[in-house]
Amino acid sequence: MSIDIKRRLFLKGSVAASAVGAAIGAGMLTPGQVLAAWPKEAFDNKDMAGSMETLLGMSSAEESGEIEVKAPEIAENGAVVPVTISADMDGVESIAIYAPNNPSPLIANFVMGAGAMGYCQTRIKMGKTGDVVGVVKAGGKLYKAAKEVKVTIGGCGG
Amino acid sequence: MAKSIKIRAKEKDGVVELKALMTHPMQPSGQKDKKTGEPIPPHFIQEVTCTVADRTVLTAQWSGGVSKNPYIASMFKGKKGEKITLSWVDNKGESDSQEAEIK
């Protein structure tokens, strides 16, 4: 009897251990491999120029009238600010969205793949009134355009 | 975390307009609980990948500065009936993916 119970406990224990192993495998290994390209340093940088340097290889961008940044004049709720960026130029490689007045200025970077248009749309958080800057990389050069958004209630909390 | 993604993809004149909604808290790093002062652990989507018939059309890298339950829209070349796959991975290693057909 007692051996039987022990055997049962042992089996239970090994099943639990393998489940933990699988959880670690799923939780720890996968993101490391999948997210190897996630530019942590660029997202952590509190300075927009520094972040651009890390992310895109250049710290300054040329003002361009071919980029349109669509965002509301006044955002009543800073937690949800709809932003659309369209770049009317050839060979758009990536579009980055910056909010220089946020604690972490880099919000998102969209890398365009095969056949993608220079267009992206999302919703962002803004801590306070400031510019939304779209930085477009096209043909190895950086272009930017900005739009000021007045935020009445900040969305970055405290 | 099943079915956290909703996709709508419509083709017009050879260009597909993709609209997608994801369900996610998008908790940025560096925030503290206002009452207790305890730091809130970050939990946000880091990468969104969109593929159409094995072509990667879009990779989005995000910080916690993207709003809760994120919305994404993009445009790219494609055809009706092609299969579109959208997937995300967050900073905790959780992920989800959803398939849809271009209409």
Side-chain angles (χ1 to χ4, degrees):
Chain A
M1 272 300 268
S2 74
I3 291 169
D4 233 33
I5 288 166
K6 271 183 189 162
R7 187 170 161 268
R8 229 165 247 198
L9 281 173
F10 175 74
L11 281 173
K12 263 190 191 166
S14 65
V15 167
S18 68
V20 168
I24 290 170
M28 302 296 288
L29 295 174
T30 327
Q33 284 158 0
V34 174
L35 296 174
W38 195 70
K40 187 178 187 303
E41 279 176 32
F43 280 109
D44 285 349
N45 206 315
K46 307 288 178 219
D47 173 53
M48 184 178 156
S51 169
M52 276 167 63
E53 177 85 50
T54 323
L55 183 72
L56 305 160
M58 278 169 273
S59 60
S60 64
E62 198 180 305
E63 294 275 348
S64 170
E66 288 174 309
I67 304 168
E68 193 189 2
V69 178
K70 256 190 234 165
E73 296 266 320
I74 297 167
E76 282 182 17
N77 181 0
V80 186
V81 183
V83 174
T84 306
I85 295 177
S86 44
D88 194 15
M89 50 181 78
D90 291 332
V92 175
E93 290 161 44
S94 70
I95 298 176
I97 302 174
Y98 279 93
N101 284 357
N102 269 18
S104 313
L106 176 58
I107 289 171
N109 183 37
F110 294 84
V111 182
M112 303 303 163
M117 310 279 151
Y119 172 91
C120 68
Q121 189 181 0
T122 190
R123 299 192 288 224
I124 67 167
K125 294 172 203 166
M126 290 183 77
K128 53 187 171 193
T129 297
D131 281 348
V132 174
V133 186
V135 180
V136 176
K137 189 175 192 180
K141 279 189 172 177
L142 294 188
Y143 303 93
K144 68 173 177 182
K147 173 128 183 8
E148 195 193 23
V149 176
K150 289 190 173 70
V151 177
T152 46
I153 303 166
C156 284
Chain B
M1 295 301 286
K3 288 192 182 164
S4 72
I5 308 174
K6 278 183 191 162
I7 307 175
R8 186 173 293 173
K10 269 190 180 163
E11 185 263 358
K12 199 186 175 190
D13 302 328
V15 175
V16 179
E17 187 176 17
L18 161 79
K19 288 176 180 176
L21 265 173
M22 287 152 262
T23 308
H24 202 278
M26 294 303 283
Q27 174 62 46
S29 49
Q31 286 197 345
K32 283 178 184 169
D33 191 301
K34 274 179 186 159
K35 283 175 194 156
T36 61
E38 294 283 318
I40 305 170
H43 189 199
F44 57 90
I45 294 175
Q46 287 189 316
E47 198 163 273
V48 179
T49 315
C50 179
T51 55
V52 175
D54 299 328
R55 308 189 302 272
T56 302
V57 291
L58 181 76
T59 311
Q61 295 155 338
W62 286 355
S63 73
V66 174
S67 300
K68 185 177 162 182
N69 297 336
Y71 167 75
I72 187 172
S74 177
M75 287 199 273
F76 43 82
K77 290 184 181 117
K79 293 189 217 79
K80 273 189 188 23
E82 281 188 307
K83 199 184 273 176
I84 184 163
T85 310
L86 193 97
S87 57
W88 58 257
V89 182
D90 69 19
N91 65 321
K92 289 185 178 174
E94 289 164 6
S95 65
D96 199 5
S97 135
Q98 180 79 42
E99 277 182 7
E101 194 177 287
I102 294 171
K103 284 177 183 163

